[in-house]
């Protein structure tokens, strides 16, 4: 803890740590680490909505494709995907158990939280990730707006993501109401700043995703230490974009390199290249850190390519892509957004990581100053 006038606060954080993906658990860890570095006692509220459970995921399979409206195809899909769900349970559950300070009990709804939780923290924080993205969350999730927290508590957000360029009109009034109780608001994307200001909160600021607050050396503590060095092109193709696979194949031919594909699904073994089937979180970091090239459509794969200073290109998906374009623009990396899919020379264009680190340092200071301001004695005492 630095020498500023500061008391230890008990801070409870709500975020999407149970979403069972690499970005969700790593951003949870990063915010926990940075708040603890400021000297505070931090716990993550164990919000585990039904849609993140295996039962909820299987129930929603029918919405993935028109073919899955057919009960025979749906049953086949459930049998095919279930082993991947079990592997994700093990990989992300073990990481959470090892590193994340959970606060019991787990809860699935806003109403259950209001009924079951003990509100003994000094402050409550909505963390980062797509917590306010109604498309991702299948509507407004009141729990992620800390609607269940009683009045009189210090409530703030840190780099919360809306992930959309504008709110659906039918969500405007409810979102405005839910944001009213926040004493401090920060969001992750510039589009989020615009949306929140339109809702009447001119005090909103933009902060970095928590993963970008840790240095390359700090993240090195969590990188798998048992892997052997080799040479490969890494893909992380969340949206099953065929253009990524074709680009990687052409790049592999050009440089005579094998392709390694990170995927949550074992049936992606049919893709060209070597399947890295839902590796541990530590190995996920190792795979990015040691790749010759990274090709992805993922925000956090982009972030860790930047942290580990890899040559990379990013393909922005059609939905909720503002978080990727925003961080690329902030760090003067707009040219890493791949649009010319036949141009494999583009990924070899050197990145000026010295300049990236300079820009990043400025944003890191702004983000940490925001957290220090919130947890200062002045603001803490005001809300005691």
């Amino acid at each position: 803890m630095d020498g500023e006038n500061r008391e230890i606060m008990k801070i409870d954080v709500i975020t999407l740590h149970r979403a069972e993906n690499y970005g969700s658990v790593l951003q949870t860890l990063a915010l926990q680490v940075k708040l603890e570095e400021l000297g505070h006692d931090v716990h993550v509220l164990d919000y585990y909505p039904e849609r993140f459970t295996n039962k909820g995921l299987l129930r929603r399979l029918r919405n993935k494709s028109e073919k899955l409206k057919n009960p025979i195809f749906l049953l086949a899909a459930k049998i095919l995907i279930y082993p991947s769900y079990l592997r994700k349970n093990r990989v992300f559950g073990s990481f959470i158990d090892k590193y994340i300070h959970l606060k019991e009990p787990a809860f699935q709804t806003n109403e259950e939280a209001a009924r079951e939780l003990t509100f003994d923290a000094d402050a409550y924080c909505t963390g980062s990730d797509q917590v306010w993205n109604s498309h991702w969350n299948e509507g407004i999730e009141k729990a992620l707006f800390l609607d269940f927290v009683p009045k009189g508590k210090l409530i703030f957000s840190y780099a919360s993501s809306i992930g959309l360029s504008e709110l659906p009109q039918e969500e405007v009034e409810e979102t405005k109401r839910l944001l009213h109780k926040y004493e401090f608001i920060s969001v992750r994307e510039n589009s989020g700043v615009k949306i929140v200001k339109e809702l009447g909160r001119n005090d909103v600021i933009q902060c970095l995703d928590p993963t970008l607050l840790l240095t390359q050396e700090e993240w090195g503590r969590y990188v798998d230490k048992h892997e052997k060095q080799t040479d490969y092109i890494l893909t992380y193709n969340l949206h099953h974009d065929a253009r990524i696979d074709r680009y990687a194949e052409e790049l592999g031919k050009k440089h005579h390199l094998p392709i390694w594909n990170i995927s949550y699904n074992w049936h992606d073994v049919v893709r060209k290249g070597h399947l890295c089937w839902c590796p541990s979180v530590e190995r996920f970091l190792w795979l990015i850190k040691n790749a010759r090239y990274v090709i992805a459509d993922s925000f956090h794969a982009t972030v860790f390519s930047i942290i580990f200073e890899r040559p990379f290109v990013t393909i922005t998906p059609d939905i909720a892509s503002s978080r990727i374009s925003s961080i690329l623009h902030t760090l003067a990396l707009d040219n890493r957004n791949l649009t010319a899919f036949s141009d494999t020379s583009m990924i070899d264009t050197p990145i000026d990581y010295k300049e990236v680190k300079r820009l990043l340092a400025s944003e890191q200071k702004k983000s940490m100053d925001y957290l220090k301001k919130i947890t200062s004695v002045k603001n803490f005492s005001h809300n005691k």
Side-chain angles (χ1 to χ4, degrees):
M1 187 161 119
D2 57 34
E4 294 183 21
N5 187 20
R6 198 179 307 281
E7 290 184 20
I8 294 176
M9 294 176 65
K10 292 177 68 174
I11 302 174
D12 285 352
V13 176
I14 193 167
T15 187
L16 296 174
H17 66 291
R18 292 289 188 181
E20 292 193 340
N21 64 63
Y22 298 104
S24 67
V25 294
L26 289 167
Q27 64 85 22
T28 302
L29 173 64
L31 183 56
Q32 176 183 286
V33 166
K34 286 301 168 181
L35 287 172
E36 287 178 341
E37 282 184 8
L38 293 176
H40 303 302
D41 180 11
V42 183
H43 286 85
V44 174
L45 296 170
D46 200 6
Y47 182 47
Y48 203 168
E50 181 267 351
R51 64 192 175 89
F52 288 162
T53 66
N54 289 346
K55 183 179 179 181
L57 290 167
L58 289 171
R59 182 179 294 135
R60 286 159 175 76
L61 266 183
R62 66 172 64 246
N63 301 324
K64 298 290 185 181
S65 166
E66 280 300 315
K67 288 183 179 180
L68 297 183
K69 306 296 184 185
N70 182 305
I72 296 176
F73 285 138
L74 180 60
L75 177 61
K78 287 181 177 180
I79 293 171
L80 186 69
I81 200 70
Y82 197 64
S84 295
Y85 288 173
L86 293 179
R87 188 172 180 109
K88 287 171 71 177
N89 294 163
R90 185 172 69 252
V91 165
F92 296 106
S94 63
F95 188 84
I96 288 170
D97 290 344
K98 186 174 182 180
Y99 294 111
I100 305 302
H101 304 151
L102 292 182
K103 183 173 185 177
E104 296 182 343
F107 60 96
Q108 290 194 328
T109 66
N110 186 62
E111 294 71 25
E112 187 180 357
R115 187 174 62 249
E116 302 294 336
L117 294 184
T118 301
F119 298 100
D120 56 353
D122 300 305
Y124 290 83
C125 171
T126 296
S128 194
D129 218 345
Q130 300 196 69
V131 287
W132 293 342
N133 185 335
S134 60
H135 173 82
W136 171 257
N137 295 330
E138 301 177 358
I140 295 174
E141 285 203 47
K142 293 181 182 179
L144 293 170
F145 287 86
L146 294 167
D147 189 54
F148 55 84
V149 176
K151 290 182 179 179
K153 296 288 186 177
L154 172 60
I155 295 177
F156 67 97
S157 69
Y158 179 79
S160 300
S161 179
I162 297 172
L164 304 172
S165 57
E166 61 182 54
L167 282 182
Q169 189 57 42
E170 64 273 15
E171 295 178 5
V172 169
E173 287 306 313
E174 179 68 350
T175 304
K176 185 176 181 179
R177 181 190 73 81
L178 290 165
L179 290 179
H180 180 72
K181 69 191 301 181
Y182 284 79
E183 187 145 352
F184 302 93
I185 298 178
S186 80
V187 293
R188 190 169 64 181
E189 296 92 24
N190 44 22
S191 59
V193 172
K194 175 177 175 290
I195 289 171
V196 175
K197 282 186 175 181
E198 288 172 350
L199 295 175
R201 291 298 298 263
N202 291 319
D203 55 336
V204 60
I205 72 165
Q206 184 177 356
C207 287
L208 289 173
D209 184 89
T211 52
L212 284 162
L213 298 180
L214 274 66
T215 65
Q216 183 179 138
E217 292 71 29
E218 287 174 311
W219 279 119
R221 303 169 193 164
Y222 304 98
V223 175
D224 195 314
K225 304 298 191 297
H226 301 96
E227 292 284 342
K228 294 182 179 179
Q229 184 63 50
T230 186
D231 220 1
Y232 54 91
I233 296 166
L234 183 68
T235 76
Y236 187 36
N237 191 351
L238 287 176
H239 298 85
H240 302 95
D241 191 329
R243 297 173 300 176
I244 291 177
D245 292 337
R246 289 196 296 268
Y247 191 88
E249 187 177 356
E250 289 303 311
L251 188 66
K253 289 177 182 176
K254 178 179 177 180
H255 292 288
H256 307 288
L257 291 171
I259 299 166
W260 290 14
N261 304 310
I262 297 175
S263 175
Y264 298 112
N265 303 317
W266 71 267
H267 54 268
D268 274 342
V269 71
V270 299
R271 289 170 57 197
K272 289 187 178 180
H274 168 68
L275 174 64
C276 303
W277 179 33
C278 196
S280 70
V281 180
E282 294 87 350
R283 187 163 188 257
F284 169 81
L285 294 173
W286 185 94
L287 286 165
I288 295 179
K289 183 176 186 291
N290 292 282
R292 174 82 76 87
Y293 301 100
V294 179
I295 308 166
D297 59 354
S298 151
F299 174 79
H300 281 103
T302 301
V303 162
F304 282 101
S305 297
I306 293 168
I307 289 170
F308 292 125
E309 300 184 17
R310 307 318 304 150
F312 76 94
V313 290
T314 295
I315 291 83
T316 52
D318 294 332
I319 298 174
S321 62
S322 62
R323 55 191 180 143
I324 296 176
S325 56
S326 183
I327 192 59
L328 291 179
H329 183 71
T330 297
L331 300 180
L333 291 169
D334 301 86
N335 66 336
R336 308 314 288 191
N337 184 2
L338 183 64
T339 54
F341 290 92
S342 60
D343 183 10
T344 55
S345 64
M346 182 236 188
I347 199 169
D348 282 313
T349 304
I351 298 173
D352 183 357
Y353 273 113
K354 184 176 180 180
E355 175 63 9
V356 170
K357 288 169 77 172
R358 185 189 69 79
L359 294 170
L360 184 57
S362 174
E363 295 299 319
Q364 287 170 332
K365 183 181 185 304
K366 183 174 80 171
S367 297
M368 289 305 300
D369 284 347
Y370 171 78
L371 288 177
K372 290 174 183 177
K373 173 186 175 183
I374 291 168
T375 59
S376 69
V377 169
K378 178 182 177 182
N379 287 313
F380 173 39
S381 300
H382 175 69
N383 287 275
K384 261 185 154 179

